[in-house]
Amino acid sequence: MYEVYVAARFEAAHRLLGDFGPASRMHGHTYRMEVIAHGQRLQEDGTLFDIGELRQMADGLAASLNYRDLNEVPDLAGVNTTAEAVADYCWEKLAASLRDRGLDSLVVRIWESPDVYAAREDALD
Amino acid sequence: MYEVYVAARFEAAHRLLGDFGPASRMHGHTYRMEVIAHGQRLQEDGTLFDIGELRQMADGLAASLNYRDLNEVPDLAGVNTTAEAVADYCWEKLAASLRDRGLDSLVVRIWESPDVYAAREDALD
Amino acid sequence: MYEVYVAARFEAAHRLLGDFGPASRMHGHTYRMEVIAHGQRLQEDGTLFDIGELRQMADGLAASLNYRDLNEVPDLAGVNTTAEAVADYCWEKLAASLRDRGLDSLVVRIWESPDVYAAREDALD
Amino acid sequence: MYEVYVAARFEAAHRLLGDFGPASRMHGHTYRMEVIAHGQRLQEDGTLFDIGELRQMADGLAASLNYRDLNEVPDLAGVNTTAEAVADYCWEKLAASLRDRGLDSLVVRIWESPDVYAAREDALD
Amino acid sequence: MYEVYVAARFEAAHRLLGDFGPASRMHGHTYRMEVIAHGQRLQEDGTLFDIGELRQMADGLAASLNYRDLNEVPDLAGVNTTAEAVADYCWEKLAASLRDRGLDSLVVRIWESPDVYAAREDALD
Amino acid sequence: MYEVYVAARFEAAHRLLGDFGPASRMHGHTYRMEVIAHGQRLQEDGTLFDIGELRQMADGLAASLNYRDLNEVPDLAGVNTTAEAVADYCWEKLAASLRDRGLDSLVVRIWESPDVYAAREDALD
């Protein structure tokens, strides 16, 4: 089994809804988004998937969240912006472009700091 | 599938028992402990598991090993303190608090340096 | 000449006032604060300054900014929260505790991301 | 399940064959090779596999690629040196020494930069 | 005294001329360029120098070297591409844009790997 | 002014003498030693000082401390092994080999963790 990985970054504010102590106050993070695509076979050109193309997808998505208050991003309206929920959102956005491209599954990790992340991993059916 | 990750640190001495060359001498590491919990579904508040609570568990465990000679820690009496054995010990300690909390499995990685770790991953039955 | 260094972290939101493009929108960072104290001579116990004490000072200051919107921190009222201005503020706070302790100068660096920081360095007269 | 991890580094030039834009030009990377071996049970000495021995294997392989143009390495003749293909090559080399040693599977990750890697994971049958 | 820092990256091949052992062979690095500008006073907007503008300068320079064989870059013709010489070259390029902007001095560091760099620091007269 | 930098690592145990709280217990660190040499002029071959040679010096010194209890290292007998004192010791060892080599000054930083270091900087007279 093969995998390819790219990382991108966005710097955003947010606040959690509910009883999350200090995380319920407006604060922010230098987010790191890691994207990992899995597949069974390399293509004839020696790639699983063009890393340059994967990077453009990740960079584009990160740019849409960069220098934003996540609670104000239209696509996240009504979402409690936990790291899990942001991973969920990014997973869906990226999966939409990665299905039917010879890949089996996709992981998206959202790091809020070097010591904390949440991730979603699912098949690309 | 979702996962949440936290990291903690402890600075400890140890020596291995047996034929491990220089690692059989008293030496030490700036250990990094990574804790990853997996589960299938997010709760209504948008979390898999409260990362703040997971962090407190990891920090508490790391604090109990911090600034210690691992060969003198009572809970590790009779244990050859390989990175694998330390991972085993930390896995058991954390699993005791994480069972029946809606999680499927748990990974604990023990880094002895930025270039070496050992890990244990098992189901949280 | 000797120096001792400690680092602390805080995760905060802010927005710049003025014509700073996207940085004028509410956003956030995982800030890293680096504190470096310089002096000429080690004391009899082999230290320039007790790193444990320096760390407590840095951690205390970071905690006062953690999980905050910097534009709402009372001590920063009226300050345009550029990285330079945050470095200035932290420098003054730390210098107040470090004068007359046998140190010559103090550096405070405020990292907004792994690729950007601003710093202030001045004598501890 | 247990795993042990080591990392090694090599600094090499290469160019891709085919339509990869700027990556088709001669360029280079500070490569980081990560090696992860999985197994079910610890041995009596508290190890899954001697990390010191695994490190020697990884260091030896990295040394054979260090300060080289990958397109000129005899073992890579005819290979399009994508990160996937380099991972494939390193996986085969390491697997040859790791079979029948009580391990289940092996992962090799080849990082071209801190933001990009490709990996191969397969059973050690 | 204040300073602002930005970092950029380029992935390039090169070979040294002369008796540098393996470094005389074609090889490559994931280079990291760090740029630090010093000055005495903050402006009214709370900045020493607009970090966004400094970043564009560094990114532009890094892009001109990215995915290149440094020995083939026209501006480096006749230069032995040691890390010191690359730092020299980048220092001159950036200094040309930073003079008469209220800054005192400039540092450029060229990292060939996380364990090696060379730097030039000089006044911006 | 130019500088060249190399880093090396050693994993060692130690305990402080005196009233340093938990640091008075036997513990350990993954130490990182940074060595920076300064000089005014590049040589004809485009180097300030051969980084390969500097690296060998740093690696040799680090190896002599690796997998040791610093309190048992003969050269450190009678030394309270604070990070400052270890920096002092390493500075003297390296300076002995770097004098009269066209360099002006030398910095040695001893990191006990990614968040703490002590350093010595002095002229190479």
Side-chain angles (χ1 to χ4, degrees), chain B residues 17 19-20 80 82-85 88 107 109 111-122, chain D residues 1-8 32 34 36 40 42 44-51 55 109:
Chain B
L17 308 176
D19 184 18
F20 289 99
N80 199 14
T82 59
E84 290 94 324
D88 222 11
V107 179
R109 290 188 202 126
W111 295 78
E112 293 190 342
S113 80
D115 288 343
V116 168
Y117 78 64
R120 176 173 169 195
E121 172 168 8
D122 269 309
Chain D
M1 190 266 289
Y2 295 88
E3 64 185 39
V4 289
Y5 162 108
V6 299
R32 181 173 170 91
E34 298 184 310
I36 309 172
Q40 291 305 121
L42 299 190
E44 275 189 26
D45 64 3
T47 67
L48 172 65
F49 188 90
D50 183 346
I51 288 180
R55 203 168 193 177
R109 291 189 201 123

Side-chain angles (χ1 to χ4, degrees), chain C residues 9-49:
Chain C
R9 199 156 65 202
F10 57 97
E11 306 183 60
H14 79 138
R15 66 158 60 93
L16 295 186
L17 309 177
D19 183 18
F20 290 98
S24 304
R25 301 194 298 244
M26 177 66 74
H27 64 284
H29 306 285
T30 302
Y31 284 94
R32 181 173 169 91
M33 175 175 56
E34 298 184 309
V35 178
I36 310 172
H38 299 81
Q40 291 304 120
R41 255 173 301 280
L42 298 190
Q43 298 173 275
E44 276 188 26
D45 65 3
T47 67
L48 172 67
F49 188 90

Side-chain angles (χ1 to χ4, degrees), chain F residues 5 7 37 51 61 77 91 94 108 111-112 120:
Chain F
Y5 162 108
I51 288 179
L61 179 55
W91 193 95
L94 292 166
V108 176
W111 294 78
E112 292 191 344
R120 177 174 169 195

